[in-house]
Amino acid sequence: YGSGIGEYLGVHNSPCLVAIARNTPGSIKGADILTARRRCWRYSEAIWLANHDTYEDLAAAHIPGTNTDVFLFYPARGEDVPDMLLGRPVFFTEFAETKGTKGDLVLGTWSQYLEGTYQTVERAESIHVRFLEHERVFKFWLRNAGAPWWSAALQPKKGAATLSPFVVIAT
């Protein structure tokens, strides 16, 4: 969520973010998930981040079929296999927005987010801060930055819809 000024640039403020229209206000449906998948660049490397409030919607998300519905969510099968949504891992986190708002479900190809350190770790110490208590204070800091690698969404040579490594469902 960062602005990029004195902090990391968050994907929600990135110029490459693709926000797709929500089919049903306040909930997530199978069509929303399919649209997000269609707009994601390199989906085979992407992961889903979701708010805990969205669990019921994701568990019920499906593609209607003639004889039976195809469910898009598969619960975790042990420690080494996470919850899966449309074939990719989904991680529930309190850092995603609450259900029904932009960012409640985020699809991201995180290899396209850059983080770098441009000043090595520096340190300082002082014996004067709490002299009467016989304590010494240490301070360490470094300078780093992070931002999505892309400056805009990709307009494919063939196809009308833009692609991006970061896709959210709008409010």
Side-chain angles (χ1 to χ4, degrees), residues 81-104:
V81 181
D83 293 325
M84 302 292 277
L85 182 62
L86 201 57
R88 299 300 306 152
V90 58
F91 298 100
F92 293 93
T93 174
E94 69 273 14
F95 297 107
E97 291 293 329
T98 190
K99 186 173 105 171
T101 58
K102 178 183 173 184
D104 59 355

Side-chain angles (χ1 to χ4, degrees), residues 115-131:
E115 192 274 332
T117 301
Y118 56 92
Q119 179 181 343
T120 59
V121 176
E122 294 194 27
R123 68 175 185 82
E125 66 179 282
S126 173
I127 61 170
H128 306 291
V129 176
R130 294 185 48 109
F131 179 76

Side-chain angles (χ1 to χ4, degrees), residues 137-159:
V137 176
F138 298 93
K139 175 181 171 183
F140 299 91
W141 69 94
L142 61 85
R143 298 188 65 183
N144 57 0
W149 199 347
W150 295 33
S151 59
L154 172 69
Q155 180 62 52
K157 183 174 182 178
K158 297 182 180 181

Side-chain angles (χ1 to χ4, degrees), residues 20-24 27-37 169:
I20 61 170
R22 192 177 298 263
N23 285 312
T24 306
S27 64
I28 300 171
K29 300 293 183 190
D32 299 325
I33 296 168
L34 292 175
T35 303
R37 188 264 177 260
I169 302 173

Side-chain angles (χ1 to χ4, degrees), residues 31-108:
D32 299 325
I33 296 168
L34 292 175
T35 303
R37 188 264 177 260
R38 181 175 54 88
R39 301 288 301 275
C40 182
W41 181 81
R42 288 215 178 141
Y43 181 74
S44 63
E45 300 174 10
I47 64 167
W48 298 89
L49 299 175
N51 187 291
H52 296 280
D53 298 341
T54 64
Y55 189 85
E56 288 82 9
D57 284 0
L58 296 181
H62 65 279
I63 304 169
T66 306
N67 297 325
T68 183
D69 293 341
V70 176
F71 285 89
L72 305 178
F73 180 81
Y74 297 98
R77 297 181 315 263
E79 279 186 29
D80 296 337
V81 181
D83 293 325
M84 302 292 277
L85 182 62
L86 201 57
R88 299 300 306 152
V90 58
F91 298 100
F92 293 93
T93 174
E94 69 273 14
F95 297 107
E97 291 293 329
T98 190
K99 186 173 105 171
T101 58
K102 178 183 173 184
D104 59 355
L105 183 63
V106 179
L107 177 58

Side-chain angles (χ1 to χ4, degrees), residues 4 8-11 14 112-116 145-150 166:
Y8 285 18
L9 175 62
V11 295
S14 169
Q112 301 305 302
Y113 191 91
L114 300 179
E115 192 274 332
W149 199 347
W150 295 33
F166 303 105

